[in-house]
Amino acid sequence: QVQLVESGGGLVQAGGSLRLSCAASGSIVRINDMGWYRQAPGNQRELVAAITSGGSTNYADSVKGRFTISRDNAKNTVYLQMNSLKPEDTAVYYCNAFISTWIDRRPYWGRGTQVAVSS
């Protein structure tokens, strides 16, 4: 059984910062790519940022220069540092990780954490 648990969401004013964390736990053999997605009301879920096990990163154009993704492989944790937040960043943020267990290899999702940015 594998679980991804996000934390760090909340309400912040425009221009502020938040740091999201996502910890993976359970019968994990290996974690490959990890990432953050977000979904605003009425919108599809979209990729915000991703990071490989080797540390290569990829960002949505809308967050480049403002958000930074990182990971601590020893803690099975991925982070998203969000600076210069804008009202349009308001969404539920979901953690995603491609995880190998002794049984299978597949993507796992967290339950999400709400980020609200007021103008």
Side-chain angles (χ1 to χ4, degrees):
Q1 198 82 345
V2 172
Q3 279 191 320
L4 298 181
V5 179
E6 301 105 333
S7 61
L11 174 63
V12 65
Q13 287 189 331
S17 298
L18 285 173
R19 188 190 194 211
L20 306 182
S21 300
C22 171
S25 63
S27 303
I28 297 169
V29 173
R30 176 181 171 83
I31 302 178
N32 297 294
D33 292 358
M34 303 185 82
W36 290 94
Y37 289 71
R38 66 187 181 187
Q39 187 168 18
N43 290 358
Q44 290 187 332
R45 190 172 297 189
E46 62 176 0
L47 175 68
V48 175
I51 185 168
T52 69
S53 57
S56 296
T57 59
N58 182 42
Y59 295 93
D61 287 344
S62 60
V63 307
K64 282 180 181 177
R66 300 188 297 122
F67 291 9
T68 302
I69 189 170
S70 61
R71 63 190 285 173
D72 184 333
N73 291 330
K75 295 182 179 180
N76 290 339
T77 299
V78 63
Y79 305 96
L80 185 68
Q81 178 66 43
M82 305 186 293
N83 298 329
S84 302
L85 282 160
K86 304 176 181 180
E88 51 262 45
D89 294 318
T90 296
V92 178
Y93 284 69
Y94 296 92
C95 174
N96 172 271
F98 196 92
I99 295 175
S100 299
T101 67
W102 294 112
I103 299 174
D104 60 11
R105 299 170 65 243
R106 66 174 180 87
Y108 287 84
W109 290 91
R111 294 188 174 184
T113 185
Q114 177 71 53
V115 171
V117 184
S118 62
S119 57

